[in-house]
Amino acid sequence: MSANQSLMWIQAGACSGDTLSMLCAEKPSFPEFLQQNRIDLLWHPSLSPEPVSTFVKRIDAILQDQLALTFLCIEGSLVTGPHGSGMFDSFMGKAKIDLIRQLAEKADYLIAVGTCASFGGIHAAPPNPSDCLGLQFTKTEPGGLLTPEWRSRKGLPVINLSGCPLHPSTLTGALSMLVQELPMPLNQWHMPEMFFSTMVHQGCTRNEYHEYDIEEIEFGHEGCLFFNLGCQGPVTLSTCNTELWNGVNSKTRAGTPCLGCTMPNFPQDTALFRTKKVGDVPSVLPLGVERPNYMAYKGLARDAAPKRVVKREMDP
Ligand code: SF4
Ligand code: SF4
């Protein structure tokens, strides 16, 4: 591990949700993580005690190659409106997208913190009046503020740590890997496989209800939330049920369907708490499941369900 690493965090079109999530990181907390890994925090809009003039001086020093920038973390969508000027989101009279473009060229690693920076997120949902983009993707399509070919000084594309907000352990985990210079395989949307290769469905305490097709039609009960209540757990890449939030909970454990917030197409233009179906079969099936197999299995599963499952005697 080299001694003088640095991190700059910039908020573009953001609600600060990822910052709030980052502040919930535990074992280590984010400040402990920085200290343990000897990372100088050059700027964070909520954590830095220095005046904004210091931020400006550090930006200048980075752009003039007088200050090394290891990690550039961007939170929020890249606001390109009106008419491509970016002036809907400006800093010191200049478009923030231009500043981000310039700083990106100086960073060893460029990290999209959250779904907005990764893919555009909620701000880029139709009609997208401020013309928001992700850093290197727009929804599922390659190409955002930066071209698909863009690579950082260390040869990596934008590392997309998606989530609305991102899970704090994903942030500290990914930064740890980069600090230790471990290989970081990325999936087709540049999300690290280490944190985005399993589904929210995995580890869900309602899984046995799902397997036996015991569905709920209203909230507050124990069964699976997939068939009627819109749960995206079986098609959403995230660790939410294996790396619990605040170490204790997840949406599905609390009885709320997963909304699929880590995925490039979030938010989808459908009702959040209703499963779209063809007849009584969900129109989107768990990843990798073939429709004919699903149809054949569905009836059998319910018939084979043990009594304790049918009677919903298990804790949700
Ligand atoms: S509630 Fe969602 S995540 Fe949990 S088992 Fe059902 S479909 Fe999977
Ligand atoms: S459970 Fe789903 S909606 Fe909730 S944080 Fe995880 S991926 Fe996002």
Side-chain angles (χ1 to χ4, degrees):
M1 182 175 71
S2 55
N4 298 315
Q5 310 207 51
S6 61
L7 186 149
M8 179 170 270
W9 184 299
I10 293 184
Q11 284 179 332
C15 69
S16 296
D18 298 299
T19 286
L20 288 174
S21 180
M22 172 271 279
L23 291 173
C24 290
E26 298 175 298
K27 301 179 191 162
S29 69
F30 192 67
E32 283 167 352
F33 169 81
L34 296 176
Q35 198 176 26
Q36 286 167 10
N37 290 285
R38 289 178 283 165
I39 299 174
D40 295 331
L41 184 61
L42 298 180
W43 185 259
H44 185 287
S46 303
L47 293 180
S48 296
E50 299 98 337
V52 173
S53 55
T54 305
F55 177 44
V56 175
K57 277 186 203 144
R58 287 182 184 158
I59 290 171
D60 286 343
I62 292 167
L63 295 181
Q64 289 168 32
D65 293 319
Q66 292 161 358
L67 184 60
L69 178 59
T70 317
F71 303 110
L72 176 61
C73 294
I74 305 296
E75 175 182 7
S77 316
L78 292 309
V79 183
T80 66
H83 312 298
S85 69
M87 290 305 284
F88 277 155
D89 184 24
S90 61
F91 176 70
M92 307 280 287
K94 293 189 183 145
K96 230 185 261 176
I97 50 170
D98 291 337
L99 174 64
I100 290 169
R101 276 196 196 102
Q102 287 176 305
L103 287 171
E105 297 308 317
K106 305 292 180 182
D108 285 350
Y109 302 104
L110 178 52
I111 297 171
V113 179
T115 299
C116 290
S118 301
F119 307 119
I122 286 179
H123 303 93
N128 193 2
S130 43
D131 297 330
C132 283
L133 309 172
L135 271 171
Q136 207 173 12
F137 275 85
T138 300
K139 301 294 178 186
T140 53
E141 296 303 311
L145 183 71
L146 305 171
T147 63
E149 296 74 34
W150 184 91
R151 295 294 179 266
S152 70
R153 285 198 166 184
K154 289 280 186 181
L156 289 182
V158 176
I159 298 166
N160 287 329
L161 303 182
S162 57
C164 191
L166 99 159
H167 197 296
S169 305
T170 301
L171 176 65
T172 49
L175 286 172
S176 287
M177 290 174 73
L178 295 172
V179 165
Q180 293 170 59
E181 301 191 346
L182 297 174
M184 184 175 279
L186 304 174
N187 69 14
Q188 61 174 313
W189 298 299
H190 300 175
M191 301 149 76
E193 287 179 359
M194 181 76 185
F195 310 99
F196 297 101
S197 59
T198 58
M199 303 287 153
V200 170
H201 190 54
Q202 212 158 340
C204 177
T205 48
R206 294 167 189 263
N207 228 311
E208 202 170 3
Y209 291 112
H210 181 89
E211 295 304 319
Y212 287 113
D213 196 18
I214 304 296
E215 7 186 312
E216 292 303 352
I217 53 169
E218 56 185 40
F219 294 116
H221 301 286
E222 290 79 11
C224 177
L225 307 164
F226 173 68
F227 305 93
N228 297 304
L229 298 174
C231 186
Q232 302 282 313
V235 292
T236 300
L237 296 162
S238 189
T239 55
C240 294
N241 271 313
T242 49
E243 185 73 37
L244 297 177
W245 289 79
N246 294 323
V248 292
N249 216 345
S250 68
K251 277 199 179 68
T252 55
R253 282 168 204 231
T256 302
C258 167
L259 309 179
C261 78
T262 55
M263 300 305 279
N265 58 356
F266 175 81
Q268 294 182 45
D269 192 17
T270 52
L272 286 181
F273 302 121
R274 201 170 62 234
T275 304
K276 223 168 142 190
K277 291 195 270 193
V278 180
D280 65 346
V281 181
S283 53
V284 176
L285 295 178
L287 213 67
V289 172
E290 301 286 341
R291 191 160 290 269
N293 297 348
Y294 181 85
M295 302 288 281
Y297 173 76
K298 188 174 153 67
L300 290 175
R302 192 177 279 245
D303 292 344
K307 275 206 180 90
R308 66 189 162 77
V309 179
V310 176
K311 289 184 169 171
R312 295 159 166 77
E313 286 172 351
M314 302 180 302
D315 283 342

